[in-house]
């Protein structure tokens, strides 16, 4: 795996996912439990609100040395001083992100179907999202449900770090890492948990056990 990429438990967070709880508080709990990378994924906020939330998160995350990644918005990523950006297959292509934001330190790119792996855009990505591994109510506009076999298949075709996302939880994290993923990304398993710190700890333990 690429040395630059050392993250194992990746929280994908939004205000909505925190279900009325404060996003910075939930995220800080998650970090204390073992989350080592955070993505802010807001689909319904204005650029101003998205940026403000990103800055609040970054101020907290900096104290823990945890990188902040912004989903699909170069303006917000630059304005908040984020570490990187994550884009999907139908978003701005990675090559263009690099043109628009030369200082981007981490570029994530979701793999939604197998043919994408032969695309030149892959070379611009620092990690690939295997999206989704299992179907999830959190994101329903998906193409391929990769399953464990899909992770293993992608693992054989690329050396890029693989981030597994989609219905990841404490009962499948171990198998997903064993199948070839380097990192687990979650929304509900942490944001929806009564105790986000404990939920992160349990997930992190499953991951470490599989490494
Ligand atoms: N991309 C693919 S699945 C997904 C995203 C953002 C949502 C994952 O959410 P959850 O609640 O962890 O299944
Ligand atoms: Mg997108």
């Amino acid at each position: 795996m690429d040395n630059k990429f050392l993250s194992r438990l990746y929280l994908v967070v939004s205000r909505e996912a925190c279900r009325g709880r404060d996003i910075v508080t939930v995220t800080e709990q998650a970090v204390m439990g073992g989350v080592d990378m955070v993505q802010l994924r807001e689909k319904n906020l204005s650029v101003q609100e998205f940026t403000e939330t990103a800055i609040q998160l970054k101020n907290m995350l900096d104290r823990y040395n945890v990188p902040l990644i912004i989903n699909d918005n170069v303006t917000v990523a630059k304005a908040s001083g984020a570490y990187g950006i994550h884009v999907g297959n139908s978003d701005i292509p990675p090559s263009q992100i690099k043109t628009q934001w030369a200082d981007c330190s981490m570029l994530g790119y979701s793999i939604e179907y197998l043919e994408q792996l032969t695309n030149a855009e892959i070379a611009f990505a620092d990690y690939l999202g295997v999206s989704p591994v299992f179907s999830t109510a959190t994101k329903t506009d998906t193409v391929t449900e990769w399953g464990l076999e899909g992770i293993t298949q992608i693992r054989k075709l690329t050396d890029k770090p693989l981030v597994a996302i989609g219905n990841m939880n404490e009962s499948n994290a171990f198998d997903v890492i064993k199948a070839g993923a380097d990192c687990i990304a979650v929304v509900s398993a942490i944001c929806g948990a009564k105790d986000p710190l404990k939920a992160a700890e349990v997930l992190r333990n499953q991951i470490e056990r599989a490494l």
Side-chain angles (χ1 to χ4, degrees):
M1 184 171 58
D2 187 337
N3 287 332
K4 187 172 137 187
F5 192 92
L6 296 169
S7 301
R8 296 298 186 186
L9 181 56
Y10 189 1
L11 177 68
V12 179
V13 72
S14 65
R15 288 193 197 173
E16 194 185 326
C18 295
R19 304 176 191 178
R21 296 182 292 186
D22 175 60
I23 187 170
V24 178
T25 309
V26 170
T27 305
E28 184 166 13
Q29 294 283 309
V31 167
M32 290 192 290
V35 159
D36 52 11
M37 185 147 82
V38 172
Q39 179 187 136
L40 178 60
R41 180 173 179 270
E42 290 290 1
K43 297 294 181 190
N44 305 308
L45 295 185
S46 65
V47 169
Q48 192 188 332
E49 281 182 308
F50 193 173
T51 306
E52 282 167 10
T53 310
I55 291 170
Q56 284 170 13
L57 275 178
K58 184 172 184 294
N59 287 341
M60 179 275 293
L61 291 171
D62 280 351
R63 291 194 275 113
Y64 296 89
N65 245 320
V66 167
L68 174 68
I69 308 296
I70 299 297
N71 185 275
D72 192 21
N73 194 311
V74 179
T75 307
V76 173
K78 283 181 169 178
S80 61
Y83 189 65
I85 189 164
H86 185 96
V87 289
N89 177 54
S90 39
D91 302 330
I92 323 165
S95 56
Q96 280 183 45
I97 298 274
K98 291 280 169 149
T99 311
Q100 291 175 25
W101 187 21
D103 294 337
C104 174
S105 298
M106 180 71 68
L107 202 168
Y109 183 43
S110 297
I111 299 302
E112 286 150 54
Y113 56 95
L114 206 57
E115 294 72 28
Q116 259 181 283
L117 288 171
T118 56
N119 190 312
E121 290 296 331
I122 295 287
F124 295 89
D126 295 301
Y127 72 83
L128 302 176
V130 179
S131 166
V133 176
F134 300 120
S135 67
T136 169
T138 312
K139 188 180 197 296
T140 50
D141 61 335
T142 55
V143 187
T144 311
E145 188 179 338
W146 291 104
L148 297 177
E149 312 72 35
I151 297 173
T152 305
Q153 188 179 19
I154 297 173
R155 177 75 295 159
K156 287 182 186 147
L157 297 170
T158 177
D159 289 333
K160 298 272 179 187
L162 299 182
V163 174
I165 188 162
N167 208 9
M168 294 295 96
N169 57 54
E170 61 180 273
S171 41
N172 57 30
F174 180 89
D175 291 339
V176 164
I177 296 289
K178 285 289 185 204
D182 300 292
C183 175
I184 301 277
V186 305
V187 180
S188 341
I190 291 178
C191 292
K194 206 168 146 204
D195 184 345
L197 191 155
K198 183 78 197 152
E201 240 170 36
V202 170
L203 271 164
R204 182 77 196 216
N205 285 340
Q206 291 299 324
I207 295 166
E208 298 295 339
R209 211 165 59 81
L211 290 171

PDB file of all heavy atoms in Angstrom, residues 41 43 71-72 86-91 139, ligand 2:
ATOM      1  N   ARG A  41     -19.385  15.221   3.923  1.00  0.00           N
ATOM      2  CA  ARG A  41     -20.178  14.979   2.711  1.00  0.00           C
ATOM      3  C   ARG A  41     -21.546  15.621   2.909  1.00  0.00           C
ATOM      4  O   ARG A  41     -22.425  15.052   3.553  1.00  0.00           O
ATOM      5  CB  ARG A  41     -20.296  13.467   2.490  1.00  0.00           C
ATOM      6  CG  ARG A  41     -21.089  13.067   1.260  1.00  0.00           C
ATOM      7  CD  ARG A  41     -20.986  11.560   1.050  1.00  0.00           C
ATOM      8  NE  ARG A  41     -21.751  11.119  -0.089  1.00  0.00           N
ATOM      9  CZ  ARG A  41     -23.032  10.742  -0.040  1.00  0.00           C
ATOM     10  NH1 ARG A  41     -23.681  10.759   1.102  1.00  0.00           N
ATOM     11  NH2 ARG A  41     -23.646  10.346  -1.132  1.00  0.00           N
ATOM     12  N   LYS A  43     -24.761  17.339   0.980  1.00  0.00           N
ATOM     13  CA  LYS A  43     -25.408  17.435  -0.320  1.00  0.00           C
ATOM     14  C   LYS A  43     -26.450  18.552  -0.365  1.00  0.00           C
ATOM     15  O   LYS A  43     -26.887  18.945  -1.449  1.00  0.00           O
ATOM     16  CB  LYS A  43     -26.079  16.101  -0.684  1.00  0.00           C
ATOM     17  CG  LYS A  43     -25.093  14.944  -0.837  1.00  0.00           C
ATOM     18  CD  LYS A  43     -24.163  15.159  -2.016  1.00  0.00           C
ATOM     19  CE  LYS A  43     -23.189  14.033  -2.233  1.00  0.00           C
ATOM     20  NZ  LYS A  43     -22.158  14.377  -3.225  1.00  0.00           N
ATOM     21  N   ASN A  71     -16.135  16.192   0.312  1.00  0.00           N
ATOM     22  CA  ASN A  71     -16.776  15.472  -0.786  1.00  0.00           C
ATOM     23  C   ASN A  71     -17.159  16.415  -1.918  1.00  0.00           C
ATOM     24  O   ASN A  71     -17.946  17.351  -1.719  1.00  0.00           O
ATOM     25  CB  ASN A  71     -18.026  14.740  -0.266  1.00  0.00           C
ATOM     26  CG  ASN A  71     -18.650  13.876  -1.347  1.00  0.00           C
ATOM     27  OD1 ASN A  71     -19.440  14.345  -2.151  1.00  0.00           O
ATOM     28  ND2 ASN A  71     -18.270  12.620  -1.369  1.00  0.00           N
ATOM     29  N   ASP A  72     -16.560  16.184  -3.065  1.00  0.00           N
ATOM     30  CA  ASP A  72     -17.034  16.759  -4.322  1.00  0.00           C
ATOM     31  C   ASP A  72     -17.213  18.286  -4.368  1.00  0.00           C
ATOM     32  O   ASP A  72     -18.168  18.763  -4.979  1.00  0.00           O
ATOM     33  CB  ASP A  72     -18.373  16.050  -4.659  1.00  0.00           C
ATOM     34  CG  ASP A  72     -18.846  16.323  -6.073  1.00  0.00           C
ATOM     35  OD1 ASP A  72     -18.014  16.688  -6.909  1.00  0.00           O
ATOM     36  OD2 ASP A  72     -20.052  16.178  -6.321  1.00  0.00           O
ATOM     37  N   HIS A  86     -12.806  14.093  -2.134  1.00  0.00           N
ATOM     38  CA  HIS A  86     -13.269  12.796  -2.647  1.00  0.00           C
ATOM     39  C   HIS A  86     -14.295  13.030  -3.744  1.00  0.00           C
ATOM     40  O   HIS A  86     -15.233  13.805  -3.568  1.00  0.00           O
ATOM     41  CB  HIS A  86     -13.890  11.941  -1.533  1.00  0.00           C
ATOM     42  CG  HIS A  86     -14.260  10.585  -2.027  1.00  0.00           C
ATOM     43  ND1 HIS A  86     -13.427   9.498  -1.879  1.00  0.00           N
ATOM     44  CD2 HIS A  86     -15.323  10.169  -2.745  1.00  0.00           C
ATOM     45  CE1 HIS A  86     -13.986   8.461  -2.475  1.00  0.00           C
ATOM     46  NE2 HIS A  86     -15.148   8.842  -3.017  1.00  0.00           N
ATOM     47  N   VAL A  87     -14.119  12.348  -4.874  1.00  0.00           N
ATOM     48  CA  VAL A  87     -15.089  12.469  -5.968  1.00  0.00           C
ATOM     49  C   VAL A  87     -15.577  11.103  -6.421  1.00  0.00           C
ATOM     50  O   VAL A  87     -14.869  10.100  -6.310  1.00  0.00           O
ATOM     51  CB  VAL A  87     -14.510  13.232  -7.194  1.00  0.00           C
ATOM     52  CG1 VAL A  87     -14.352  14.708  -6.888  1.00  0.00           C
ATOM     53  CG2 VAL A  87     -13.207  12.631  -7.681  1.00  0.00           C
ATOM     54  N   GLY A  88     -16.794  11.104  -6.929  1.00  0.00           N
ATOM     55  CA  GLY A  88     -17.382   9.877  -7.464  1.00  0.00           C
ATOM     56  C   GLY A  88     -17.195   9.827  -8.970  1.00  0.00           C
ATOM     57  O   GLY A  88     -16.645  10.754  -9.580  1.00  0.00           O
ATOM     58  N   ASN A  89     -17.693   8.781  -9.552  1.00  0.00           N
ATOM     59  CA  ASN A  89     -17.531   8.573 -10.989  1.00  0.00           C
ATOM     60  C   ASN A  89     -18.233   9.637 -11.831  1.00  0.00           C
ATOM     61  O   ASN A  89     -17.779   9.967 -12.919  1.00  0.00           O
ATOM     62  CB  ASN A  89     -18.042   7.187 -11.341  1.00  0.00           C
ATOM     63  CG  ASN A  89     -17.973   6.928 -12.813  1.00  0.00           C
ATOM     64  OD1 ASN A  89     -16.911   7.071 -13.406  1.00  0.00           O
ATOM     65  ND2 ASN A  89     -19.088   6.587 -13.409  1.00  0.00           N
ATOM     66  N   SER A  90     -19.328  10.188 -11.313  1.00  0.00           N
ATOM     67  CA  SER A  90     -20.055  11.188 -12.113  1.00  0.00           C
ATOM     68  C   SER A  90     -19.739  12.621 -11.675  1.00  0.00           C
ATOM     69  O   SER A  90     -20.399  13.566 -12.096  1.00  0.00           O
ATOM     70  CB  SER A  90     -21.553  10.910 -12.039  1.00  0.00           C
ATOM     71  OG  SER A  90     -21.911  10.514 -10.750  1.00  0.00           O
ATOM     72  N   ASP A  91     -18.719  12.798 -10.838  1.00  0.00           N
ATOM     73  CA  ASP A  91     -18.300  14.138 -10.403  1.00  0.00           C
ATOM     74  C   ASP A  91     -17.155  14.650 -11.291  1.00  0.00           C
ATOM     75  O   ASP A  91     -16.863  14.050 -12.309  1.00  0.00           O
ATOM     76  CB  ASP A  91     -17.862  14.093  -8.933  1.00  0.00           C
ATOM     77  CG  ASP A  91     -18.965  13.574  -8.008  1.00  0.00           C
ATOM     78  OD1 ASP A  91     -20.148  13.781  -8.332  1.00  0.00           O
ATOM     79  OD2 ASP A  91     -18.629  12.968  -6.983  1.00  0.00           O
ATOM     80  N   LYS A 139     -27.078   5.552   0.853  1.00  0.00           N
ATOM     81  CA  LYS A 139     -26.884   6.004  -0.539  1.00  0.00           C
ATOM     82  C   LYS A 139     -27.530   4.975  -1.451  1.00  0.00           C
ATOM     83  O   LYS A 139     -27.080   3.834  -1.509  1.00  0.00           O
ATOM     84  CB  LYS A 139     -25.385   6.140  -0.848  1.00  0.00           C
ATOM     85  CG  LYS A 139     -25.082   6.792  -2.197  1.00  0.00           C
ATOM     86  CD  LYS A 139     -23.575   6.886  -2.411  1.00  0.00           C
ATOM     87  CE  LYS A 139     -23.169   7.858  -3.498  1.00  0.00           C
ATOM     88  NZ  LYS A 139     -23.625   7.484  -4.830  1.00  0.00           N
TER      89      LYS A 139
HETATM   90 MG1  LIG B   2     -20.479  12.510  -5.693  1.00  0.00          MG
END
